[in-house]
Amino acid sequence: MSSAPGAAASTPPVTTPAAPRVHRPRRAWARTLLHAYTWLVIAFVLVPIVVMVVYSFNQTPNGRVTLNWQGFTTYWYAHAFGIADLTTALWHSLEIASGSTVIAVLLGTPMALAMGRWRFRAKPLSDLLVFTDIAAPSVVVGASLLSFFIALNVPQGLLTILIAHVAFELAFVVAVIRARVSGLDRMLDRAAADLGATPWATFRHVTFPLILPGLFGAGALAFGLSIDDVIITNFVAGPKLTFPLWVYGAVKVGIPPQVFVLSTYIFLGGLVLAGVNALVARRNPSLP
């Protein structure tokens, strides 16, 4: 049955006019306040470091740091290692920081991979232990480690300092690397397996390059935590001195300018580590 001509004419679509755009005034004062707050925080962090660097060039007739400017000199940089005990304490700190960082990253990487990728019954307990270690006060950690070493009759020294630093760095390393691992796409592993890669080849060519910035970041954090620790180290050091412990003891009689010089060197070393970490993160492929 045919319809009448023109009866099936299509109805033109009804268009709804777009809602008018609401022009919200820009809050310039909020942006200015945010910028000012940011620069205040940066200044709060950097001003003490700048003061330390500046006064490392100050002349001090009595060989003790003073806030009275006596004149510019590079004498203390030429004699930065003139105090034997201070130099030995610095080398102790560098050795312990380097060793504990390597051990903590080696132990923390498999833990972070397991906690970030797999589900297992003890995972909630593992999470609790990691974050409890991060939140635990340093006094509690130091006292518990001291009790542990005394119970095992372990003599206090560089070995106990190393073990203690690995113990409290490990949780931070796991947290940093786990954050990187959690963002990885598991389809990359499956694609590598489909192409015939073994689990070790997949880790070496796929997973490791992607988590490398996390490893550098975790290592830099662990190194910084180790080299400036005072409380935990003071519990387990015994007769040995690290750089922070030496400085802590010297405060009572006056700090020699070499402390500012060596602290400046440590700060510059931290800048180098931060630059290397930023370079690795920039050259590394971004997370999917």
Side-chain angles (χ1 to χ4, degrees):
M1 183 176 180
S2 60
S3 59
S10 60
T11 304
V14 179
T15 58
T16 303
R21 181 177 298 179
V22 179
H23 296 279
R24 296 181 179 179
R26 296 183 178 180
R27 298 181 178 180
W29 62 269
R31 182 176 300 179
T32 302
L33 182 62
L34 179 60
H35 289 174
Y37 174 77
T38 302
W39 282 109
L40 283 175
V41 173
I42 294 175
F44 179 78
V45 174
L46 292 182
V47 166
I49 299 176
V50 173
V51 171
M52 176 194 70
V53 175
V54 170
Y55 276 88
S56 66
F57 295 97
N58 186 25
Q59 295 181 4
T60 54
N62 60 350
R64 293 291 181 268
V65 170
T66 176
L67 294 182
N68 295 323
W69 185 256
Q70 304 293 331
F72 181 85
T73 182
T74 58
Y75 175 84
W76 305 118
Y77 281 85
H79 299 79
F81 303 101
I83 303 177
D85 293 343
L86 178 59
T87 303
T88 301
L90 175 63
W91 286 117
H92 286 166
S93 290
L94 293 176
E95 292 170 356
I96 293 169
S98 301
S100 62
T101 297
V102 172
I103 296 173
V105 171
L106 290 177
L107 294 178
T109 301
M111 293 177 59
L113 287 171
M115 296 174 65
R117 286 193 163 190
W118 305 103
R119 295 181 179 179
F120 47 93
R121 293 183 178 179
K123 186 176 181 179
L125 179 60
S126 301
D127 293 339
L128 179 62
L129 291 176
V130 169
F131 290 104
T132 299
D133 191 14
I134 294 176
S138 298
V139 174
V140 175
V141 177
S144 61
L145 287 171
L146 176 61
S147 302
F148 177 74
F149 292 138
I150 292 177
L152 296 180
N153 197 23
V154 178
Q156 300 176 40
L158 295 181
L159 178 61
T160 55
I161 299 175
L162 178 67
I163 296 173
H165 283 207
V166 171
F168 76 80
E169 291 172 15
L170 189 58
F172 292 92
V173 169
V174 170
V176 172
I177 300 177
R178 181 185 177 183
R180 182 76 179 183
V181 171
S182 299
L184 298 181
D185 188 357
R186 294 299 306 274
M187 293 301 295
L188 297 175
D189 295 347
R190 297 173 184 175
D194 290 341
L195 294 174
T198 62
W200 169 246
T202 301
F203 173 79
R204 186 160 56 94
H205 294 288
V206 178
T207 305
F208 181 76
L210 289 175
I211 67 173
L212 187 59
L215 298 182
F216 272 95
L221 177 61
F223 189 90
L225 290 173
S226 173
I227 203 164
D228 70 347
D229 180 75
V230 176
I231 300 176
I232 297 176
T233 305
N234 191 35
F235 275 95
V236 300
K240 298 295 183 179
L241 286 177
T242 60
F243 183 75
L245 290 182
W246 197 98
V247 175
Y248 178 76
V251 170
K252 303 174 183 179
V253 296
I255 301 176
Q258 284 88 343
V259 171
F260 279 10
V261 174
L262 296 180
S263 299
T264 301
Y265 286 154
I266 294 174
F267 173 69
L268 294 177
L271 290 181
V272 172
L273 289 177
V276 171
N277 185 32
L279 181 62
V280 171
R282 183 175 182 180
R283 298 183 62 180
N284 190 268
S286 59
L287 288 177

